[in-house]
Amino acid sequence: ESNGAEVSEFRLEWGAAQGSLQLVYSGPALSHEVRGLVPATSYYCRVQAVNVAGAGLFGEVAMVTTPASVPAAVPLVQEMGEEALPAPLPCPSTCLAVHWEEPCSHGAEITGYNVDFGERHPLSVGRTNYCVLENLQPDTTYRIRVQAVNSVGAGPFSSSLKAQTRPLPPAPPTLECSVSGPQSLKLKWGEGLSRPSALSSTTQYCLQIQDAQGRFVCIYSGPCHKYKVQRLSEATVYHFCIQAHNEAGAGPLSPVYSFSTTKSPPTQLKAPKIQQLEPNVCEVTWE
């Protein structure tokens, strides 16, 4: 009521707690729009009328609760190391593991997440805080974003995380026999060191030979491109395979290569025996 004098102004106080209301509007209008509110949050307000005689008493405090909204942006996305995973990555060259912090739900329970990593459609996962992205390209950088989803809809995406898959493990080199002897085989592999690859300084090789039980056992492990296998039997076929590995992991085993030792030359003979048969005829015999 104006009590005889026309109301010239209204004052609206607003706040998240009854004891800390602040003036947010002063003017002649009968309504005011308050912006920048938090979803699913209770607010308190009261109104006071002013005329030429002065300011009247504040009305009763009213409470209003904002409706639920989509979740807030995911605050943090990070790459996971294999030591933090419940199981090893299927293939570090084609997989990436990421985890994130749960954002504010804004009044409606978070039901899942969408993970965008450059594909046509984001990957949808359930209510979890990590996922493993598979079937990626080796040695490739991806920009990964995550958004939370609730019953109202999908929230904004997080900031992008740049993560790179590992290179593929090295392929096995071709194995050759450069020199064969009766008790040894000199083997060599790879393209040599004339044109080393970017990973040649860190590439190691494991040379394996098939034993009498049919198992392949490692007889050399290291960075060299040749190895002499000794203490072999003459005229015998031996079976080998080779594997390369570097910081990207162990590559596949090569096909089986078969090389044979040679026969040993005859041993030195004793001095021959000479018998005079006739004045101009001799018989030479040896063992």
Side-chain angles (χ1 to χ4, degrees), residues 233-255:
S233 299
E234 65 173 314
T236 302
V237 176
Y238 290 90
H239 306 289
F240 301 90
C241 63
I242 192 167
Q243 181 183 40
H245 59 93
N246 57 22
E247 64 268 22
L253 281 171
S254 71

Side-chain angles (χ1 to χ4, degrees), residues 159-182:
S159 56
S160 294
L161 165 72
K162 290 177 65 176
Q164 184 173 357
T165 52
R166 297 184 190 177
L168 280 172
T174 300
L175 191 61
E176 301 175 3
C177 179
S178 58
V179 180
S180 58

